Every structure is written in C-alpha cells, then in structure tokens.
Amino acid sequence: MAGPGLDFETEIAELESRISTLERQTERDDESEGELRSLRIDLAKQLREVYSSLDPWQTVQVARHKNRPYTRDYLNLAFDDFVELHGDKHYGDDRAMLSGFAKLDRFKVMVLGHQKGRTFKERAACHFGCAHPEGYRKAMSKMRLAEKYKLPLICFIDTPGAYPGVGAEERGQAQVIAESMFKMSQLKTPIICIVIGEGGSGGALGIGVGDRIAVMQHAYYSVISPEGCAGILWKSHEHAPKAAAALRFTSDNLQRLGVVDDVLDEPLGGAHRDHHQMASRMKTYLSRTLTDLESKSMDQLLDARYEKFRRIGVFLESASA
C-alpha cells in the first residue's frame, strides 16, 4: 500500500482500506474471496482512471509523495556494491547530495543524486533535499573522479531547489551551480540524468546536464517551483495550482518541448506504490542507455551534448541588422 493518500485519492483510499481489512482475515470463505477479487479489479480501474488524467498540481503532489522512492532506494534496489563518497574537500559533507561508486549489471558507474530522507530527523539533516554549495562542490569532485577513471555518470534529480539560506549564498550558491553545469557540459564521460521526483530551479540544473535526460511519468522539471512562481506573479502561494498549469513542467509537455529525451512509465498508481517494479524499470532503462552511449566516441558525445542544450527553447530573431 502507498501509505497516506493524497486529496484526490479518497475513493482509492477507501478501496485500499477494504482490501486490507479482507486480506487480514485469517479465514476467508468463497464469498470473501470473490469480494476481494472484485475490489482489486475496482482498485486497478480507479487507479488507471485517476492517474491517467492528473492535472499539473496533482502531478506535483505525487512527485512529493512521502513514500516515493528516493536516490538511496534506487541504489539499494537497482545497483550493486554502492560505496558512498563524502565531503567536498573544502567545507563539509552535504547530506542532501549523495555520491559514490556503484555497479549496474556489467557497468561500473559513479552515482550522484539528491536525497530527501524519510523521517523528519533525516529530512532535517538532508535539508529536505535542498543542497548547499558544498553539495555541488562534492558533486563536481566526484565528476572529476568519474572522468579520471572513465566511469559513466548517473544523476538522480529530486529537489525543490538549491538551499536558499544566507549561509549558502555567502558560500557562493549561484556560482557553484553555474560551475557545475559548465563542468558537466565538458565532462569526458557519458552522463545520464533522471528526474525522479521534483526537478526544481537551479538546484536541479546543477546536476542536470547530460547526454540523456529522462523524467519519470509523474515527476516535474521546472525553472521554479509552483509556489515560488505563484509568490512572484500573484504574491500568494494559494495560486500554486494556477502556476503549475502555466509552467508546463509535466512529463508529456517536457518531451513535446524537447527538454527531455525519455519518459519512464511508472507502475499503476505511481512509483510510491511499487518501489521494486519502478527500480526494475529504472535499471532496464539505464542499462539500455549506457549500452547505447558506450558505442559512441567521446567527441561525438560532447558535440551532441552541446547541440542538445543549444536546441532547447524557441527563439524569435529579427531580420534587420
């Protein structure tokens, strides 16, 4: 079960509760078994109807679900032999940015990813997934290590944005994000970036430059969070749903606009309902993409990476000199 339901999942939560009650019964007669089968069919139908027509604000709610798989969950379920690397060699170790060596099938890789934490204590330690400058400096240090040992780089993006505090700004938040993007644009190793939940603002872009950019079906990727956009445009976070609709940051729009290359389908009812199935799909996608990227020369990858980001956007240029 997915845990506490979202506000648009009232009927789904009722069905799940009835199914759970029946499943806990130690002795069930034919009538109970028939009712259980019927409820499971109704649940699948309801999940398919609801999750096939989510509006942008509902997508944001799913992307932020407390039970959604995080970077460490994918490392545990899809990768082998993960060895975490700590520290930026300058200031400290930012727990909002996870990094380390790992193995994926036959590939040895370097993994970077935002980490939010499950409990409140973990979330507070990880700054709710908002990395400080030392987090991005740690990321760049591991990028250089990946380049040195010719390891493909895999980045999991899941943050509402970079940490906005005074201390982070004093330590060069904006500059270090720009440096990280520039470093990734020239990094001589294959890079795959996947938005697994929230992809908010410069915090996401800091580890978001790669040869393949993917987004999960119910994730979002945006220049700003909907609350931030609503605060700027309408001076109130109450207008976040309106901002979410205007930003066009859902997976279907992102692929149509050429911002991402691939969309990873999630299990019925969202990734938070089945971590194992989502991790299996993630592993299949990563293995297939790494196989494709390793067939290309480094010059081809760098040229294609540059052109990919040059093509994003729509430009109107005047014909006059």
Side-chain angles (χ1 to χ4, degrees):
M1 296 297 176
L6 301 168
D7 57 11
F8 57 86
E9 288 189 322
T10 304
E11 293 184 26
I12 292 172
E14 291 175 358
L15 287 169
E16 287 179 330
S17 177
R18 291 167 63 187
I19 290 171
S20 180
T21 300
L22 285 173
E23 287 178 336
R24 285 197 300 269
Q25 293 179 2
T26 55
E27 297 182 4
R28 295 196 293 267
D29 54 23
D30 291 343
E31 183 178 349
S32 297
E33 289 290 351
E35 182 182 1
L36 187 57
R37 284 194 298 271
S38 177
L39 287 172
R40 285 172 176 163
I41 292 171
D42 290 343
L43 176 61
K45 181 181 178 182
Q46 189 68 23
L47 285 170
R48 192 169 291 107
E49 289 179 357
V50 170
Y51 277 82
S52 63
S53 57
L54 294 178
D55 63 35
W57 180 242
Q58 290 171 338
T59 298
V60 172
Q61 293 176 277
V62 175
R64 293 173 176 172
H65 198 287
K66 63 178 291 186
N67 291 336
R68 193 170 179 85
Y70 297 144
T71 297
R72 196 173 289 279
D73 297 310
Y74 289 115
L75 287 168
N76 291 334
L77 295 172
F79 294 80
D80 299 312
D81 304 325
F82 175 64
V83 179
E84 186 171 358
L85 301 174
H86 298 273
D88 70 339
K89 302 181 181 178
H90 290 280
Y91 185 85
D93 184 38
D94 188 350
R95 292 184 61 185
M97 186 68 72
L98 196 60
S99 67
F101 297 113
K103 190 173 181 182
L104 182 81
D105 289 337
R106 64 183 177 86
F107 297 100
K108 294 178 181 178
V109 300
M110 177 70 75
V111 178
L112 298 174
H114 298 103
Q115 179 65 19
K116 289 182 173 179
R118 290 284 172 207
T119 65
F120 179 78
K121 183 177 180 180
E122 290 175 349
R123 286 173 174 258
C126 295
H127 315 294
F128 297 84
C130 299
H132 284 68
E134 49 270 25
Y136 293 101
R137 291 193 177 98
K138 174 167 75 170
M140 283 190 285
S141 172
K142 307 325 174 228
M143 290 174 196
R144 289 190 288 269
L145 203 58
E147 183 179 52
K148 178 179 179 179
Y149 292 109
K150 296 179 170 53
L151 300 175
L153 180 65
I154 297 173
C155 301
F156 292 114
I157 298 168
D158 188 14
T159 178
Y163 195 80
V166 173
E169 294 298 331
E170 289 175 342
R171 297 195 297 277
Q173 185 73 284
Q175 180 176 342
V176 77
I177 289 174
E179 289 175 357
S180 182
M181 294 170 65
F182 180 71
K183 179 65 180 174
M184 294 185 82
S185 71
Q186 298 186 326
L187 199 70
K188 294 181 179 179
T189 194
I191 305 173
I192 303 173
C193 304
I194 305 177
V195 184
I196 60 174
E198 295 187 84
S201 194
L205 288 174
I207 57 170
V209 179
D211 302 298
R212 293 289 186 276
I213 313 296
V215 62
M216 287 172 54
Q217 182 182 3
H218 302 309
Y220 79 88
Y221 195 23
S222 172
V223 70
I224 191 171
S225 69
E227 290 89 347
C229 178
I232 292 171
L233 296 182
W234 295 288
K235 313 302 180 186
S236 172
H237 290 177
E238 294 179 0
H239 296 281
K242 188 194 302 185
L247 286 167
R248 299 185 183 180
F249 53 32
T250 54
S251 59
D252 54 341
N253 282 314
L254 292 169
Q255 191 170 41
R256 180 175 57 83
L257 296 170
V259 177
V260 302
D261 301 298
D262 303 294
V263 175
L264 277 61
D265 290 335
E266 298 188 23
L268 184 63
H272 55 280
R273 282 189 160 77
D274 195 333
H275 288 201
H276 288 272
Q277 187 178 354
M278 190 65 242
S280 177
R281 294 183 183 185
M282 180 73 71
K283 185 174 183 178
T284 300
Y285 172 78
L286 289 172
S287 296
R288 185 176 67 247
T289 307
L290 286 171
T291 301
D292 177 50
L293 292 177
E294 74 171 354
S295 66
K296 304 180 188 304
S297 71
M298 202 64 252
D299 287 339
Q300 287 176 317
L301 286 179
L302 289 173
D303 290 344
R305 191 185 304 166
Y306 177 80
E307 290 300 326
K308 170 196 292 294
F309 285 88
R310 291 287 291 173
R311 287 195 304 268
I312 294 176
V314 177
F315 304 92
L316 299 177
E317 296 180 355
S318 173
S320 60

